[in-house]
Amino acid sequence: MLRSMYSGVSGMKSLQVKMDVVSNNIANVNTVGFKTSRVLFQDIMSQTSGSSSAAGNGLGGQNAQQVGLGVQIGSIDTVHSVGAPQTTGRELDFYISGAGYFVLRGAGNDGDAMNYYTRDGAFVRDADGNITNSGGMKVMGAVQNPPVEYNDAFELDSISATADNLTTGGLG
């Protein structure tokens, strides 16, 4: 009886985590560039209650008897599929129709500059003509070392890691 209780409790705990992930996905359904998550489950352990036997006397063998002891969260994965593009008509709205991220440069918690990665392609020009996101982080080039900063000499083909999957005039 204790094994069945433990299996039920572990299943309920795992399903609570799945409901939390689904709730987060629903809460962010209108967030530009949001990537949905999914939960994968795995067995905790199985207890062998009967041993296996080999075939003999014209009969097949017998498999071992096992009782599962519950379930646990195997992983919570981010699904990187392409979202539905939305036409905005703005010259600096981009979406990536494949793999990759926009690289932004901004100040970290300690004040030092660091790179951030996003799929939100709603960009604007700042007072100096630099292309930035709404938070003022400068748009950088493809993932390279060191990153290239874009300003008036902005080249559309260089903004993402793979230039052939970048489209202008919409968000996705």
Side-chain angles (χ1 to χ4, degrees), residues 48-90:
T48 303
S49 59
S51 61
S52 61
S53 63
N57 296 334
L59 299 174
Q62 183 177 2
N63 292 333
Q65 296 175 357
Q66 294 183 328
V67 176
L69 298 178
V71 67
Q72 66 183 2
I73 302 297
S75 67
I76 300 175
D77 298 336
T78 302
V79 180
H80 291 279
S81 62
V82 179
Q86 300 173 356
T87 303
T88 64
R90 291 189 62 241

Side-chain angles (χ1 to χ4, degrees), residues 75-162:
S75 67
I76 300 175
D77 298 336
T78 302
V79 180
H80 291 279
S81 62
V82 179
Q86 300 173 356
T87 303
T88 64
R90 291 189 62 241
E91 184 179 80
L92 292 176
D93 283 352
F94 300 98
Y95 73 93
I96 301 172
S97 61
Y101 288 89
F102 296 107
V103 182
L104 305 175
R105 186 74 163 206
N109 292 338
D110 57 3
D112 292 338
M114 62 184 294
N115 289 339
Y116 294 88
Y117 300 90
T118 183
R119 296 216 17 129
D120 185 351
F123 301 124
V124 295
R125 287 194 187 271
D126 66 9
D128 298 327
N130 298 311
I131 297 175
T132 66
N133 71 347
S134 60
M137 292 185 197
K138 293 181 181 179
V139 177
M140 308 306 282
V143 178
Q144 55 185 335
N145 195 10
V148 178
E149 195 171 297
Y150 287 91
N151 50 28
D152 287 331
F154 178 68
E155 294 179 18
L156 178 65
D157 290 343
S158 301
I159 195 169
S160 74
T162 53

